[in-house]
Amino acid sequence: LLLDEPAMGLDLPAREDLLSTLTSLRKGKSTSVVYVTHYTDEITPFFEKIFMIKKGKPFFSGSVEDGLTGGMLSRIFGTPVAVVRRNDRYFAAPA
C-alpha cells in the first residue's frame, strides 16, 4: 500500500482514525505500507523503519527511533529542531 501524504487536509480526529486504521492493518502483517509525510507526529509505532530524503537524495535509512532525533532533523532541515517523544509519537518544533 503506497500512501502519499494521506492525512493532508484532514482534521485531527480524521487523521487519528486514518492512523488507527493503518495500525489495524499491521495486526495481520500481510500488508506492506509506504507512508510519505512531512509531519513527524504522523509516524506512529505502526512504522518500524524510516527513509528520509534531502534535496532529492537518500539521507537516512533505519529505525524510526534513530532517525527522528533533534540532531538528525536539524541536519535534514538545516535549522535547529527539537524533538519530543510522547506516547510513542514524535513531535518536532524549531529549537
Side-chain angles (χ1 to χ4, degrees):
L1 181 60
L2 176 60
L3 301 167
D4 187 4
E5 306 239 11
M8 186 58 67
L10 297 180
D11 62 18
L12 184 61
R15 182 187 74 169
E16 294 305 309
D17 285 345
L18 169 69
L19 296 173
S20 177
T21 299
L22 290 175
T23 298
S24 68
L25 283 175
R26 179 84 171 133
K27 291 178 182 165
K29 293 194 180 211
S30 62
T31 304
S32 296
V33 177
V34 175
Y35 188 98
V36 178
T37 185
H38 288 90
Y39 301 99
T40 59
D41 57 310
E42 291 179 18
I43 301 170
T44 68
F46 166 79
F47 300 101
E48 298 172 356
K49 303 286 184 188
I50 189 169
F51 180 74
M52 296 189 288
I53 298 170
K54 180 178 182 177
K55 296 183 180 181
K57 296 183 180 176
F59 180 79
F60 175 84
S61 179
S63 72
V64 171
E65 187 172 303
D66 290 342
L68 293 184
T69 65
M72 189 68 71
L73 293 180
S74 294
R75 288 176 45 215
I76 200 166
F77 291 124
T79 191
V81 175
V83 176
V84 175
R85 188 172 178 182
R86 173 176 254 161
N87 298 327
D88 287 325
R89 301 278 284 274
Y90 296 84
F91 299 87

